Amino acid sequence: MTDARGAGPRSHGMWSREAAVTATAFVLCLLGGVIQVDDTLSAPPVAAYFVAVVSCAVLPMRHRAPLAALAATTAAGFLIQPLGLLLSPLIVAPALITAYSYTLAARTEQRAAGAVSLSAAVLLVASIPLTGDLSWQDASRIGVVTAFPLVAGVLGHSVRNRRAYLAAVEERARRAEEGRDSEARRRVAEERVRIARELHDLVAHQITLANAQATVAAHLFDTRPEQTRKSLGELVETTGHALDELRATVGLLRQSGDKAAPAEPAPGLSRLPSLVESFHRAGLEVSVHQDGTARPLPPGVDLTAYRIVQEALTNVTKHSGTRSARVRLVWNHDHVTVTVADDGGGTLHDGGGTRAVPGASADRPPPGFGLIGMRERATAVGGHLLAGRRAEGGFLVSARLPLPPAKDTGETP
């Protein structure tokens, strides 16, 4: 029902245009019949009405069968002189209209040119006087009658090329719009992966620390209340930091109209001391060593280095069962190497003794997506990461991250 109602106005407009074109062609045919052979003017004879009716009757079918309409109007023009009428551009107006329409609808330009040229040739033959000498007026009239179908064909060809050009422009615009939509979807997907990676790193880190602190508190609850109270205070602080980081990360997903959350700088190696202290409170002794001269890092590399250290130490706390780990930063001319290693012990220091960790082993990489995320982060900034067990026991994570040339950092040697 909707399509039918929508098609009604379009159909009405199409028939209105066809009626206007047909009426105009009919009037032009009659005006052509006013001019007599002896160059006098008189009322259109019956023959003029006949030619006008026959020629204009086929005009509405020029869209469905353009070649047949062109042949019919051209044949009607061939009968004009035998009926005692003067062949002029006005009286063959229907033939000009069908020549234009056929040029628009023809499948190939060769067919259009051939059909229009044949129509012009037919009208050329029809315009030659049957009797008498050929005067210069007759010659000029023959030239005009012959040229008009060709002009109509050229005009139709130009309109056809213009329509094809506009269609090509619209198609390019549509494809460009689709390309922009695809690029936007790709960027949204990349941003989702980045946010998911950030959420994984900070949640795994903070939850691991909270779990270790809660375990220590439960272990010391009966024997050392003061130490238990301290561990619970550290647990509250750890969970508070976790909520703050979650709020900051999830704030990236706010809509544009939402109230902006306070922005905080992305973490980097400058926050390494506080990161080490958080693991120390969870019972993991972390030592940090640096070789070479430290240099400013690009933001992406700085964040990647921090997250790799954070994730590697989190895996040590969760899976290795050791009570110590070592972080080493080696600064070179064009790269920095970040190494995190542990001794793979089977006990965890809890501040008042040791406790066994079932299933803890450094002979296999920790489960989950931590190593995958670290490799993806290193690759994203142009570096690479290696991880595996050490020959002397324990587990090693080593990432090599690129550095800009020293002159680009603004640092004076």
Side-chain angles (χ1 to χ4, degrees), residues 226-304:
E226 292 299 326
Q227 184 68 27
T228 301
R229 187 177 295 107
K230 180 181 179 182
S231 296
L232 290 177
E234 293 173 350
L235 175 60
V236 172
E237 183 179 352
T238 299
T239 54
H241 288 321
L243 290 175
D244 292 340
E245 292 191 18
L246 279 173
R247 189 179 299 111
T249 304
V250 176
L252 298 175
L253 301 177
R254 287 182 177 272
Q255 299 295 329
S256 58
D258 294 345
K259 183 179 179 181
E264 295 183 2
L269 291 181
S270 61
R271 292 176 55 179
L272 190 57
S274 61
L275 178 67
V276 171
E277 177 60 26
S278 66
F279 281 101
H280 176 71
R281 292 197 301 266
L284 180 66
E285 297 293 338
V286 181
S287 60
V288 180
H289 303 278
Q290 296 199 51
D291 295 335
T293 303
R295 291 163 47 194
L297 294 175
V301 177
D302 201 15
L303 174 62
T304 298

Side-chain angles (χ1 to χ4, degrees), residues 158-179:
S158 300
V159 173
R160 180 180 180 179
N161 288 343
R162 177 65 177 173
R163 291 179 179 177
Y165 170 75
L166 293 178
V169 170
E170 291 177 357
E171 178 65 17
R172 286 196 298 269
R174 183 185 63 82
R175 292 184 178 179
E177 184 67 23
E178 292 178 353

Side-chain angles (χ1 to χ4, degrees), residues 167-350:
V169 170
E170 291 177 357
E171 178 65 17
R172 286 196 298 269
R174 183 185 63 82
R175 292 184 178 179
E177 184 67 23
E178 292 178 353
R180 285 192 294 269
D181 292 342
S182 177
E183 178 66 15
R185 288 192 296 270
R186 184 187 65 81
R187 292 185 178 182
V188 168
E190 290 180 352
E191 183 65 12
R192 287 175 177 173
V193 171
R194 188 188 68 81
I195 294 176
R197 187 184 295 122
E198 291 291 327
L199 287 174
H200 168 269
D201 289 346
L202 69 91
V203 169
H205 165 62
Q206 300 290 0
I207 295 301
T208 298
L209 294 182
N211 178 71
Q213 292 164 352
T215 302
V216 171
H219 183 72
L220 301 176
F221 183 78
D222 295 326
T223 59
R224 302 178 62 180
E226 292 299 326
Q227 184 68 27
T228 301
R229 187 177 295 107
K230 180 181 179 182
S231 296
L232 290 177
E234 293 173 350
L235 175 60
V236 172
E237 183 179 352
T238 299
T239 54
H241 288 321
L243 290 175
D244 292 340
E245 292 191 18
L246 279 173
R247 189 179 299 111
T249 304
V250 176
L252 298 175
L253 301 177
R254 287 182 177 272
Q255 299 295 329
S256 58
D258 294 345
K259 183 179 179 181
E264 295 183 2
L269 291 181
S270 61
R271 292 176 55 179
L272 190 57
S274 61
L275 178 67
V276 171
E277 177 60 26
S278 66
F279 281 101
H280 176 71
R281 292 197 301 266
L284 180 66
E285 297 293 338
V286 181
S287 60
V288 180
H289 303 278
Q290 296 199 51
D291 295 335
T293 303
R295 291 163 47 194
L297 294 175
V301 177
D302 201 15
L303 174 62
T304 298
Y306 177 85
R307 290 301 189 196
I308 288 176
V309 173
Q310 182 187 58
E311 180 65 24
L313 292 178
T314 301
N315 287 337
V316 171
T317 304
K318 291 170 60 178
H319 304 293
S320 72
T322 185
R323 65 180 184 179
S324 64
R326 295 170 298 281
V327 178
R328 186 181 182 188
L329 303 176
V330 180
W331 300 87
N332 295 282
H333 175 70
D334 59 349
H335 68 275
V336 58
T337 302
V338 181
T339 304
V340 180
D342 64 84
D343 57 15
T347 58
L348 177 65
H349 182 66
D350 62 8

Side-chain angles (χ1 to χ4, degrees), residues 7-30:
R10 291 195 299 269
S11 178
H12 178 72
M14 181 184 66
W15 283 109
S16 299
R17 288 194 303 272
E18 290 300 321
V21 171
T22 303
T24 302
F26 184 79
V27 172
L28 292 176
C29 283
L30 293 183

Side-chain angles (χ1 to χ4, degrees), residues 95-161:
L96 306 182
I97 295 174
T98 53
Y100 171 81
S101 298
Y102 180 74
T103 307
L104 289 178
R107 294 182 180 179
T108 62
E109 296 181 359
Q110 290 80 3
R111 290 187 179 184
V116 172
S117 300
L118 180 60
S119 174
V122 171
L123 294 180
L124 172 63
V125 174
S127 60
I128 297 176
L130 299 178
T131 58
D133 297 333
L134 185 65
S135 64
W136 69 269
Q137 292 181 341
D138 294 332
S140 61
R141 180 171 48 81
I142 291 173
V144 171
V145 171
T146 305
F148 263 57
L150 299 178
V151 172
V154 171
L155 179 61
H157 177 70
S158 300
V159 173
R160 180 180 180 179
N161 288 343

